[in-house]
Amino acid sequence: MMDFPQIPQQIDIPCSLFKAMQSLSPSQSDDIRSPLALLHPPNRRRSSLLIVEQSKSQNFQTWEYLRQKIADDVSSSKNVSKKIADDSMMNMGVYARVRNANKTEMNDPLCLDVVNEASIRITSAKEKVNDFNFDACFDGTADQSQVYEKIGVDIVSTGVQGFNTCLLAYGQTGSGKSYTMTGNKKNPGLIPRVCNGLFHSFDMLVADPSVGRDVSSVVVEVVYYEIYNENIIDLLDPSQGNLKVREHTQLGVYVENLSKVRVFSAEHAMDVMDLGLLNRSVQATKMNEVSSRAHAVFELKMTQRYSVGSGDDLSLKSKITMVDLAGAERAGQQELKGARMTEGNNINKSLSQLMLCIQFLVKESKMSEKKKDQRNPSSQKMVVPYRDSKLTWLLRESLGGNARTHMLVTLSPILTSYSDSLSALRYASAAKSIKSKTFIEESPMERRVRELALEVS
């Protein structure tokens, strides 16, 4: 059993602590990180993990942009019932990132070119030119902060509003998925930056009720696990072995006995992430010295307590799920043998099942569009084969249920990866057609109290 810091079971975040932030400038608030960080033991702070931008002016602009984004999004969702009724189905957000060629690939011909911020082109001497359009495209010059501003800011604001959101990082092995998701101390990835943005956003909500709802306290919990050879391993307590996947009428699909750690700051969340990273299944292969041998899922579960006009306290629960998928592999190209071969086969099998579910969801979305034009639409619904893989079964809600989902496809630019890159781009392009409609999860009683309070106000 891993040793965890002793954390009180319940700590309410006092409003007075956050109101002290109102007198600070954005740069000053970044220096002390977050009022929630003050609840974190000083000897566990790690300055190496602080998210700092290249300059004070950039930091100020990013902070102000996030503040305005949260203010606009939260204020527009005060009447959630009306918002849900009026919103149309939302398409999955899809993005592409091309890494630079590494030292061993400097003399290799390239096959990918980022034409502009929303278009990417793949070419080969034997194949025709293919162009793909996405919500955003990043070339090798894009840094981690640019990726966060395009993807992470939306994830944070959606989660703070009370909606579930998910990010899938997909691509060939060695294409830069783990770097984009977790990064390193010098260049933190999306997970650290999302945690940082999340706690800053909650600071703003509690410190200034005019920004959104009147939040009195926030609880953030972290779970971190991996799917290795179709076994569920708790990265925060691997000694438990293979965990079981269960389904509950109210909880949905969940992992039984999975460790859940309450965190009080972005730094604390990163400490938990670092602990999980130490337990991840990583091995060297021909194409990648630190190849992930399992799919990793990092999840932030949030509970906000807020007041309505009647003075009643209500709760708002949401979660942010960030999935670092293991890379697709070719056994012959990577010369996999023994355990590496078994791992590669299981990785490819689960990824194939994920792509199959995406194909079903694309067809389902197209069928739904056709039904709108029919007077007597068929009531028959397509059955998506989620249960055929633990990965897709656990991601069922994120893929085709109550979640705002994003997919980031990472790509290797060299010509020898042409077929893998083309396949990834085609799947990502198809995923753009998937539509979902998210809603805030609340009990019927809380919903009624909120609606009555809104009518009175």
Side-chain angles (χ1 to χ4, degrees), residues 3 7 16 98 139 149 162 259 333 336 371 383 402-403 448:
D3 292 329
I7 300 173
S16 58
V98 182
D139 59 17
E149 287 173 7
S259 301
Q333 186 180 17
L336 300 177
K371 287 178 183 179
V383 179
N402 177 27
R448 186 57 181 158

Side-chain angles (χ1 to χ4, degrees), residues 136-147:
C137 295
F138 310 96
D139 59 17
T141 64
D143 60 25
Q144 300 279 58
S145 63
Q146 291 174 295
V147 177

Side-chain angles (χ1 to χ4, degrees), residues 13-243:
I13 305 164
C15 293
S16 58
L17 186 62
F18 290 89
K19 288 181 179 178
M21 286 289 289
Q22 290 179 291
S23 61
L24 300 177
S25 67
S27 60
Q28 287 175 316
S29 63
D30 284 335
D31 290 339
I32 68 168
R33 294 283 295 162
S34 159
L36 295 177
L38 299 178
L39 297 176
H40 198 56
N43 61 349
R44 286 181 55 76
R45 292 193 187 178
R46 300 224 310 256
S47 58
S48 59
L49 288 174
L50 298 186
I51 311 300
V52 291
E53 304 298 331
Q54 294 180 353
S55 68
K56 288 291 184 181
S57 61
Q58 287 179 337
N59 195 17
F60 180 83
Q61 292 170 1
T62 301
W63 193 93
E64 284 298 321
Y65 172 71
L66 181 59
R67 180 183 176 88
Q68 189 59 47
K69 175 74 173 173
I70 295 294
D72 293 344
D73 289 346
V74 174
S75 62
S76 67
S77 65
K78 284 183 178 179
N79 191 340
V80 179
S81 298
K82 185 175 186 299
K83 181 182 176 67
I84 293 172
D86 293 345
D87 265 2
S88 59
M89 301 288 281
M90 296 184 67
N91 288 77
M92 180 183 289
V94 183
Y95 314 85
R97 187 181 194 184
V98 182
R99 67 165 174 82
N100 287 321
N102 58 40
K103 294 179 180 179
T104 62
E105 301 167 342
M106 295 304 294
N107 297 322
D108 293 348
L110 306 180
C111 65
L112 288 172
D113 178 39
V114 177
V115 180
N116 53 52
E117 61 181 14
S119 180
I120 191 168
R121 176 171 296 164
I122 183 167
T123 58
S124 170
K126 298 180 180 179
E127 303 288 341
K128 66 176 183 178
V129 175
N130 289 281
D131 290 332
F132 295 89
N133 297 316
F134 299 109
D135 294 284
C137 295
F138 310 96
D139 59 17
T141 64
D143 60 25
Q144 300 279 58
S145 63
Q146 291 174 295
V147 177
Y148 170 74
E149 287 173 7
K150 288 289 186 179
I151 306 174
V153 169
D154 185 65
I155 290 174
V156 170
S157 63
T158 303
V160 171
Q161 287 180 59
F163 295 95
N164 297 332
T165 183
C166 175
L167 172 63
L168 303 172
Y170 172 78
Q172 179 189 12
T173 183
S175 58
K177 296 182 301 299
S178 295
Y179 173 75
T180 301
M181 293 295 282
T182 57
N184 51 45
K185 292 181 180 179
K186 186 178 179 181
N187 298 296
L190 279 170
I191 293 177
R193 291 173 186 272
V194 165
C195 291
N196 187 64
L198 185 69
F199 278 97
H200 271 301
S201 301
F202 285 141
D203 292 350
M204 288 184 280
L205 277 176
V206 181
D208 186 3
S210 65
V211 173
R213 63 183 67 88
D214 187 8
V215 177
S216 58
S217 67
V218 181
V219 174
V220 181
E221 297 171 312
V222 170
V223 298
Y224 199 11
Y225 63 92
E226 70 176 11
I227 305 172
Y228 174 75
N229 286 341
E230 285 299 292
N231 294 325
I232 309 297
I233 308 298
D234 187 345
L235 291 175
L236 303 180
D237 185 9
S239 63
Q240 294 192 77
N242 183 24
L243 301 179

